[in-house]
């Protein structure tokens, strides 16, 4: 009787594992299929979406990738790529700096409006960012930053500290006794931050830099709203300006712009997980 119960329990466990893996495979296929379709579409010889036989192109060619970088009279993809890289890199540097400083101040210092500011940040974080696009546009017109890449960079960097709570949680896990010991030896707040806190904060720095880079790298709404000249376009805006006959170029451009961020995620995923887990729970 006991053996039969053990066999039933094992059978039930195996069945649960099989069902779980089947569900995971189905979900993985659902998410992978659009990616596969986009990759195959980028090799379409005709370039038009109307020439597809069902989901996939009828003829394949590498000409699309060559044209993407050589045919730049109307659609200057290399220029768009460099624009995107410049905006994302500068936004990453400034956004990471502002976010880390904000989190450090909120974690280590005590002042009257601290809790009110934290509550205000939580409330504002409940609203989607696109709700403020009209206000952002009007503000940019007042500062003459329409059709300026630095206008975009300032917006991305200025709004990055709104997500400082994860970084604050990480700094909360660093013992405050380190700060006290350093101040006994005569270290200033700046010295404590630079020489003691930052060297211990590599995971959260990588996480913050990567998230600060990923948003402007793939954003469409703000560049579309603020950039007018085609030479200033980011890749997202530039690709959306292509017509239906250039769909294979659109697909090829989408794949190329996705490669850097995928490589970064794979290279830095260990630090991202450490940073997120350490910043999510206060010890």
């Amino acid at each position: 009787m006991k053996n039969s119960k053990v066999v039933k329990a094992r059978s039930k466990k195996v069945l649960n594992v099989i069902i779980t893996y089947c569900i995971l495979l189905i979900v993985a296929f659902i998410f992978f299929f659009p990616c596969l379709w986009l990759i195959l579409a980028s090799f379409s010889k005709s370039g038009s979406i109307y020439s597809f036989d069902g989901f996939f192109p009828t003829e394949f060619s590498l000409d699309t990738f060559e044209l993407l970088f050589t045919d730049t009279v109307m659609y200057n993809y290399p220029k768009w790529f460099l624009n995107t890289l410049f905006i994302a890199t500068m936004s990453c540097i400034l956004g990471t700096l502002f976010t880390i400083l904000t989190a450090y101040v909120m974690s280590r210092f005590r002042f009257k409006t601290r809790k009110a500011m934290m509550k205000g940040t939580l409330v504002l974080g409940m609203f989607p960012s696109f709700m403020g696009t009209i206000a952002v546009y009007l503000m940019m017109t007042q500062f003459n930053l329409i059709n300026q890449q630095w206008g975009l960079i300032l917006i991305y960097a200025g709004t990055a500290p709104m997500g400082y709570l994860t970084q604050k949680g990480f700094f909360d896990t660093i013992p405050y006794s380190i700060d006290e010991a350093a101040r006994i030896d005569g270290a200033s707040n700046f010295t404590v931050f630079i020489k003691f806190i930052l060297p211990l904060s590599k995971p959260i720095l990588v996480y913050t830099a990567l998230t600060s880079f990923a948003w402007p790298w793939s954003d469409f709404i703000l560049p579309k709203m603020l950039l007018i000249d085609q030479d200033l376009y980011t890749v997202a805006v530039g690709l959306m300006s292509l017509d239906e006959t250039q769909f294979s170029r659109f697909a090829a451009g989408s794949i190329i712009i996705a490669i850097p961020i995928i490589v970064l995620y794979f290279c830095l995923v260990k630090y991202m997980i450490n940073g997120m887990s350490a910043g999510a729970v206060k010890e």
Side-chain angles (χ1 to χ4, degrees), residues 4-259:
S4 62
K5 288 183 178 180
V6 172
V7 171
K8 285 183 180 180
R10 287 180 179 176
S11 301
K12 187 177 180 180
K13 186 177 180 180
V14 171
L15 182 62
N16 288 336
V17 171
I18 293 174
I19 293 174
T20 301
Y21 275 96
C22 288
I23 293 173
L24 290 175
L25 287 172
I26 293 172
V27 173
F29 176 77
I30 291 173
F31 280 93
F32 176 71
F33 182 78
C35 299
L36 176 64
W37 178 71
L38 192 68
I39 292 172
L40 294 177
S42 66
F43 293 100
S44 174
K45 186 174 183 179
S46 66
S48 174
I49 194 173
Y50 299 115
S51 64
F52 285 18
D53 183 14
F55 283 105
F56 304 110
T58 54
E59 296 181 284
F60 296 92
S61 173
L62 291 172
D63 294 342
T64 301
F65 288 91
E66 181 181 351
L67 290 174
L68 191 66
F69 290 96
T70 57
D71 184 16
T72 59
V73 177
M74 291 184 62
Y75 308 113
N76 195 344
Y77 185 85
K79 180 66 174 176
W80 299 342
F81 189 94
L82 292 176
N83 291 342
T84 307
L85 182 62
F86 172 72
I87 293 172
T89 302
M90 296 306 299
S91 300
C92 172
I93 295 172
L94 295 176
T96 300
L97 176 64
F98 295 160
T99 304
I100 293 298
L101 288 176
T102 303
Y104 177 73
V105 169
M106 289 296 185
S107 174
R108 279 333 206 224
F109 295 92
R110 301 293 182 266
F111 46 92
K112 287 185 177 180
T113 59
R114 176 176 172 271
K115 289 187 177 180
M117 291 175 66
M118 291 178 63
K119 292 178 181 177
T121 303
L122 285 172
V123 172
L124 291 175
M126 298 177 184
F127 299 96
S129 58
F130 65 83
M131 289 182 64
T133 52
I134 296 177
V136 168
Y137 182 82
L138 293 176
M139 189 181 299
M140 291 297 102
T141 57
Q142 297 301 312
F143 288 102
N144 294 321
L145 290 174
I146 298 295
N147 205 36
Q148 299 285 338
Q149 292 181 351
W150 274 104
L152 273 174
I153 293 171
L154 292 176
I155 293 173
Y156 291 132
T159 54
M162 293 293 292
Y164 74 92
L165 289 174
T166 301
Q167 289 79 0
K168 175 189 174 298
F170 183 92
F171 288 135
D172 288 341
T173 63
I174 299 176
Y176 195 75
S177 57
I178 295 176
D179 304 49
E180 294 174 341
R183 290 192 178 93
I184 291 174
D185 292 335
S188 63
N189 290 328
F190 182 77
T191 303
V192 172
F193 176 68
I194 295 296
K195 291 188 176 181
F196 297 95
I197 302 300
L198 282 186
L200 298 173
S201 306
K202 186 177 181 180
I204 203 65
L205 285 173
V206 173
Y207 166 76
T208 306
L210 190 55
T211 52
S212 299
F213 183 86
W215 179 29
W217 184 261
S218 58
D219 186 35
F220 171 77
I221 296 177
L222 284 175
K224 178 63 176 176
M225 180 177 66
L226 298 180
L227 300 178
I228 300 172
D229 293 343
Q230 198 175 57
D231 287 340
L232 297 176
Y233 279 178
T234 60
V235 170
V237 179
L239 291 179
M240 286 301 295
S241 66
L242 302 176
D243 55 37
E244 294 86 350
T245 60
Q246 301 289 331
F247 184 77
S248 62
R249 185 180 295 198
F250 172 88
S254 301
I255 291 170
I256 291 175
I257 197 65
I259 290 174

